[in-house]
Amino acid sequence: MNRSRVLKGIGVSPGLAVGTAYTISAEGPDVTDRVIAPECLDDEVQRLHNTIAEVRTHLEELRERTRERAGAEEAKIFDAQILMLEDQEFLGEVEGLIRGHQLNAESAFEFKMLEMRDLWSHSTSGTLRQRVADLSGVQVRVLHRLLGDAVMPAGPERGTTPVIVFTNELTPGLTVQFEKDHVAGFVSEQGTRTAHAAILARSLGIPCIMGLVGGLDEIDAGTNVVVDGTRGVVILDPTDEEIEELRDRERTRLALEHELEEAVGQPAVTRDGQAMTLRGNIDLVEDVETAAEHGAEGVGLLRTELLIVGRTELPSEDEQLRFFERIAGRLPDFPIVVRTYDLGGDKFPAPFKVAPENNPFLGWRAIRVCLDHPELFRSQIRAVLRARASADVQLMLPLVTQVEEVTRTRSLVQECAADLRREGVEAADDVPIGAMIETPAAAMMIDLLADHCDFLSVGTNDLTQYSLVVDRGNAQLAKRFTSFHPAVVRLLARIVTDAKRMGLDVTVCGEMAAEPLAAFMLMGLGYRILSVSPGRLPLVRWIVRQIDTQAAEAAVDGLADAQTALDVTQHLRERVAEHIDLDLLELGRLPVMDSEATFNV
C-alpha cells in the first residue's frame, strides 16, 4: 500500500467500513459578546433556563433512542450530560455572570463551560479527562440553541453510498444521531477507547477510529475511504485489491470472534484437564454486567478510586456499601475482591491537600495513604464488612511492602467490626485480607506475609515498573518496559512457588494475563487464577482451552537460560505456535506481544 494514503489512529470499535468521507465540525458556534441592558437581565436569565430545558428534552430523547438501538446500559451514558444541565451550582454561576457583568446568556454559558473543560482536561482523574467529550456535547447543543440554530448541525443527506463521518471530536449524541445503514463508520481526531462515544459505537456495531490527530486536514469531503476499526487504519482512495484484502481480514476476525463467543459458555479447562479460574477486573458497575455475561467467576480486582477521585467530597459509608452490593449482586456465587483506595501517584481526591512530590510513584500512595488517614480507611472497611454480611466480599491491599501494613489493617478491621456490633448494624465479624505483590520487596517476603494474609494477588504493571526501575508512563522508556524481562519472569516464578508452599491462593490481576504469550507463560509457572478486564475474558478462556498445561510448564523450564526479553518472547512464540495459530491471532488483531510490549493494570 502507498503509505501516504494510510492514516493511523486508535481502533476503538472493530469492523470494516467502506464509504465516502463526510466532515462535521463538533466545535461550538462563534459567540459574540453583547451587553444586556439592566432592565432586560431577567429576560436574559429566563432565556438561558428555557434553552437548558429544551436541550435537556433533546438529550432525554437521545437517551430513549439509544435505549432502543443499543440497550439500557448504553442509554445511561446520557445521564451524565443531563446531570450537567441540572447542576444548580453551575447554572447559578452562569446566571451570576449574566447579572453581575451584564453578559448575554451564550457568552456567560460559554465562559463557564470553557472554564470547566480546562479544569477537567488537566485533572489527574482519567475518568474526568475521558468525559470532556460529554462536556463538549452539552456546550455545543446549548450554544447552538441560544443562537437560534438547531440543537445540532444537520448530518449528511441520505444517498446510495454510505458515508464515513470525520469529526474533530465524536460525542455520544453524534454517534446515535445517524442510522447504521446510512453512516458506515466514524473517525475522530480526539478520544480514546474508553470514551462514551467509543462505547456507543461498539454497542451499535459501527467501526470507529479515534485519536487520528490532524485527520480533518488530510481528508477532502467526498473522498472514497476505508475504515479498519480493528487496527485503527484509514485508507484514502483504496483500490479494489486493498478492499478485498481488508475484507478477507475482516472475515477472519469475525470467524475468530465467533469462536470466542462460543468459548464463553464452555469451561476454562486446558486440553489436559487443568481447570483455571477466570475473574474480572472492574471499575464501574456496568463493567460487572459484561464480566457476568462472559462467565467471570467473581471479581479479582474491584477498583474503588472512582468513588473518590474527581469529587469535591468523600463518599459516605452507605454509598460505598451500595456500590459493593450492586457488584456482588450480579455475581452472587463468587468472591468480590475489593482493592482498598489506590490513591497517590497521579490519583488524589479534591478534599486532599497534598504537597507535590519529586517521585510520587515512590512516595505517599496506596496503603500508605489509607493507614495515614484512618477516618477515610475506616469508612471503606465498615462498608466492606457490611457488604460481607450477605456476599463473599474480600479486602485487598495495594503496594504492600511491610508486614505491619497488613497487621495494622487487621487491627482496624477488628475495631470497625466491634463498632458495628455495638451500633447494632448488620455486618461480618471479619473479612479475608490479601496483599498485592507489586514490588520486589513483597515478592521476597511471601513467607512473612503468609502469616497475616489469606490470599495474594500480583499486579504485573507495578511489579514490572519497580523491578526494572522504569516509569511505565514514560514514552522514552517504553521499549524497556516489558513483563517478559528475565528478572520479572523469575520474580513471577518465585511468587507462585512461595505462595503454594505457604498454602496461599495467588491471582494475577494485571492485564498481562489477557495476552496469549503471557497467559501461556503464567499457566506454565503455576498460576491458576487469572483476572482481566471483562472484555478480554472470552479471549483468555479460548486460550486456556487451546493449551496443554504440561507443554506450558515445559516451555517455562526452557526459559532458564533466557538473557533478554526478546529471548523470552521468541521462545514462547515457538511453543505457543504448537497450540495456537499465531497468524490467525494477528489477522484477528488479538495482540501477540513482542519484546516491546506493555500491559495495563
Side-chain angles (χ1 to χ4, degrees), residues 8-31:
K8 188 73 173 70
I10 304 167
V12 300
S13 180
L16 192 69
V18 181
T20 57
Y22 183 90
T23 58
I24 294 179
S25 174
E27 295 179 350
D30 292 331
V31 172

Side-chain angles (χ1 to χ4, degrees), residues 247-530:
R247 282 177 171 157
D248 283 343
R249 284 179 173 271
E250 179 64 5
R251 283 189 284 268
T252 299
R253 184 188 72 81
L254 292 173
L256 183 55
E257 192 174 271
H258 179 68
E259 284 193 36
L260 298 187
E261 290 174 357
E262 286 189 334
V264 168
Q266 299 171 338
V269 177
T270 64
R271 289 186 178 277
D272 56 344
Q274 174 62 57
M276 295 289 294
T277 299
L278 305 183
R279 295 175 180 164
N281 296 338
I282 303 297
D283 285 285
L284 304 170
V285 171
E286 45 263 41
D287 294 337
V288 77
E289 189 68 32
T290 304
E293 291 173 355
H294 289 167
E297 298 177 70
V299 175
L301 169 63
L302 177 57
R303 300 180 179 94
T304 56
E305 293 74 55
L306 292 184
L307 289 170
I308 190 171
V309 174
R311 295 179 44 156
T312 56
E313 58 184 26
L314 299 177
S316 69
E317 178 183 321
D318 286 343
E319 182 180 350
Q320 296 178 73
L321 173 63
R322 288 192 295 271
F323 177 63
F324 299 147
E325 287 180 336
R326 289 183 66 187
I327 299 293
R330 191 60 184 85
L331 293 167
D333 301 321
F334 300 107
I336 308 297
V337 179
V338 176
R339 183 177 71 182
T340 60
Y341 292 131
D342 190 6
L343 299 173
D346 60 347
K347 295 176 291 186
F348 268 117
F352 277 66
K353 305 302 181 185
V354 182
E357 295 185 85
N358 289 332
N359 296 295
F361 285 96
L362 296 177
W364 195 55
R365 56 168 298 203
I367 188 61
R368 301 166 184 176
V369 174
C370 289
L371 290 173
D372 286 349
H373 277 270
E375 73 285 355
L376 170 74
F377 203 14
R378 283 176 180 275
S379 176
Q380 187 172 56
I381 290 172
R382 285 172 59 98
V384 167
L385 286 169
R386 291 172 64 186
R388 185 165 173 79
S390 58
D392 185 7
V393 177
Q394 305 178 14
L395 201 63
M396 182 165 69
L397 314 183
L399 207 73
V400 168
T401 59
Q402 301 180 40
V403 171
E404 295 93 317
E405 290 160 344
V406 182
T407 57
R408 286 179 61 191
T409 299
R410 281 206 176 275
S411 295
L412 280 174
V413 167
Q414 292 168 4
E415 292 173 14
C416 289
D419 289 342
L420 289 165
R421 283 195 299 272
R422 279 194 297 271
E423 296 165 16
V425 177
E426 183 181 9
D429 291 329
D430 204 351
V431 61
I433 295 177
M436 290 197 72
I437 309 302
E438 302 175 277
T439 66
M444 297 300 289
M445 58 178 194
I446 300 295
D447 57 331
L448 303 180
L449 291 171
D451 291 335
H452 308 280
C453 291
D454 300 296
F455 62 93
L456 302 174
S457 191
V458 182
T460 52
N461 251 5
D462 270 342
L463 182 65
T464 301
Q465 173 173 249
Y466 293 124
S467 299
L468 303 182
V469 198
V470 172
D471 179 357
R472 69 193 197 191
N474 188 328
Q476 285 186 296
L477 300 176
K479 291 185 178 181
R480 291 178 176 268
F481 185 88
T482 168
S483 298
F484 289 122
H485 189 289
V488 179
V489 175
R490 292 184 181 193
L491 277 176
L492 289 169
R494 174 166 184 152
I495 291 166
V496 69
T497 299
D498 288 353
K500 286 186 174 182
R501 180 167 54 84
M502 302 306 297
L504 290 179
D505 284 338
V506 58
T507 302
V508 174
C509 63
E511 291 302 319
M512 175 186 183
E515 192 280 317
L517 298 190
F520 181 79
M521 181 182 73
L522 291 168
M523 292 172 63
L525 289 172
Y527 290 92
R528 297 293 177 258
I529 309 174
L530 306 179

Side-chain angles (χ1 to χ4, degrees), residues 66-197:
T66 303
R67 180 179 289 107
E68 294 172 356
R69 293 185 61 195
E73 287 299 319
E74 287 75 8
K76 291 178 182 177
I77 285 173
F78 288 95
D79 290 345
Q81 295 192 18
I82 292 170
L83 285 173
M84 291 176 195
L85 294 178
E86 295 175 342
D87 187 335
Q88 295 305 310
E89 181 179 351
F90 172 77
L91 293 176
E93 291 175 357
V94 177
E95 184 175 332
L97 283 178
I98 296 173
R99 295 187 183 280
H101 298 273
Q102 294 181 241
L103 279 179
N104 55 320
E106 49 268 37
S107 294
F109 185 83
E110 182 181 52
F111 179 84
K112 294 306 297 183
M113 287 297 281
L114 290 175
E115 189 176 70
M116 186 179 294
R117 183 187 178 103
D118 182 68
L119 179 66
W120 285 18
S121 297
H122 294 92
S123 171
T124 57
S125 167
T127 303
L128 281 183
R129 294 196 301 272
Q130 292 162 9
R131 299 300 178 255
V132 168
D134 294 321
L135 202 64
S136 299
V138 172
Q139 178 181 337
V140 170
R141 283 185 172 81
V142 173
L143 291 179
H144 272 298
R145 199 69 200 98
L146 282 169
L147 292 170
D149 302 328
V151 176
M152 281 296 289
E157 295 182 1
R158 285 188 173 274
T160 56
T161 304
V163 299
I164 309 296
V165 170
F166 286 78
T167 183
N168 55 301
E169 186 171 29
L170 186 64
T171 64
L174 199 59
T175 309
V176 298
Q177 184 173 338
F178 311 113
E179 298 295 337
K180 184 178 178 181
D181 61 351
H182 181 37
V183 171
F186 292 108
V187 179
S188 175
E189 291 186 319
Q190 301 179 43
T192 65
R193 184 173 178 79
T194 55
H196 273 161

Side-chain angles (χ1 to χ4, degrees), residues 269-274 523 543-549 579:
V269 177
T270 64
R271 289 186 178 277
D272 56 344
Q274 174 62 57
M523 292 172 63
I543 291 168
V544 166
R545 293 182 57 81
Q546 313 304 310
I547 289 173
D548 183 291
T549 311
H579 305 268

